[in-house]
Amino acid sequence: MDNRTNLDDYLAGLGISEADEDEVTPPPPAPDASADALPAESTPNEDPKEVLERFLNALTSRMDDTLSVSVQQAEDALEAEITGENASKLAGRDGRLLGAIEVIAYTVLAKQAGRSDLRVRIDVGGFRKRQADTLTKLAERLAIQVAKSGEAHELQPMPASERRVIHIALKEHPDVMSESVGEGASRRLMIRPRHG
């Protein structure tokens, strides 16, 4: 176990802290400088792909040095794949750990690359792909059930990324439609008959 005593020590080298070993970011302004003196646009921005790659490499090397990271630029997002023998352990229970890693990675991008408009999608050991396949099959089964019964089916609350998979799976379905209902953490998906 590490004997580090503060959060900056833990975050150093992960692309989060000002105390990065490689000193890619400039030092913070002097304490007497006002925060308003430096507009947000003048903050030096790094390449988002490099920022994400550096962060994930630093994170995975501290967990398991046999893991490897690849980052690709998609239209609206950066997509990263973490592979290795033990990569699937990074998904955590029901993908919660992976979701937390994505949130932290998004925060790092917003801070160091100035890109809060880019989404971050990370897959570990094919977890997201398997999850999407499972959700698509669930959507297909529920669509048949709703079409036969004529009654709507409400699913348990789920994250936006999972609801999105089901929405896409049912988008062109001739007999049913999907919609999200509820607010916040209790937001869930409803599958309804398309007609009537």
Side-chain angles (χ1 to χ4, degrees):
M1 179 80 185
D2 273 317
N3 289 331
R4 298 177 195 174
T5 57
N6 68 38
L7 186 58
D8 281 340
D9 289 342
Y10 283 108
L11 300 178
L14 292 180
I16 299 173
S17 171
E18 296 293 333
D20 285 350
E21 291 104 9
D22 55 4
E23 283 297 314
V24 174
T25 57
D32 62 335
S34 84
D36 297 56
L38 193 68
E41 297 84 34
S42 68
T43 304
N45 295 331
E46 296 182 56
D47 177 48
K49 183 179 173 198
E50 290 176 14
V51 169
L52 182 60
E53 205 165 64
R54 184 177 62 241
F55 166 71
L56 291 175
N57 278 318
L59 180 70
T60 57
S61 70
R62 283 169 170 73
M63 298 171 135
D64 182 346
D65 60 1
T66 64
L67 298 176
S68 62
V69 174
S70 67
V71 178
Q72 303 297 322
Q73 175 79 46
E75 270 185 44
D76 64 337
L78 285 175
E79 297 179 343
E81 174 75 24
I82 301 173
T83 55
E85 187 176 330
N86 299 315
S88 60
K89 290 181 181 178
L90 286 177
R93 185 179 186 139
D94 299 326
R96 291 181 193 161
L97 178 57
L98 182 55
I101 292 170
E102 284 180 338
V103 168
I104 295 169
Y106 173 81
T107 304
V108 169
L109 275 182
K111 178 183 175 194
Q112 292 198 348
R115 294 296 304 269
S116 59
D117 61 322
L118 271 178
R119 294 173 60 199
V120 176
R121 289 191 288 261
I122 303 173
D123 197 0
V124 290
F127 174 82
R128 291 276 190 223
K129 182 173 178 1
R130 288 190 305 276
Q131 183 184 42
D133 290 345
T134 300
L135 289 170
T136 300
K137 288 175 185 172
L138 172 66
E140 291 166 358
R141 282 195 318 268
L142 290 175
I144 292 169
Q145 177 185 332
V146 169
K148 281 183 181 178
S149 72
E151 295 180 17
H153 183 89
E154 186 174 314
L155 284 86
Q156 294 293 322
M158 61 179 60
S161 60
E162 294 179 14
R163 290 194 313 271
R164 185 173 188 268
V165 170
I166 295 176
H167 282 308
I168 290 170
L170 298 178
K171 183 179 177 183
E172 302 296 325
H173 197 283
D175 301 321
V176 301
M177 58 185 270
S178 62
E179 66 178 315
S180 292
V181 295
E183 297 294 325
S186 64
R187 195 148 171 86
R188 58 207 176 281
L189 201 110
M190 182 80 73
I191 300 174
R192 302 181 187 277
R194 192 173 288 276
H195 308 288

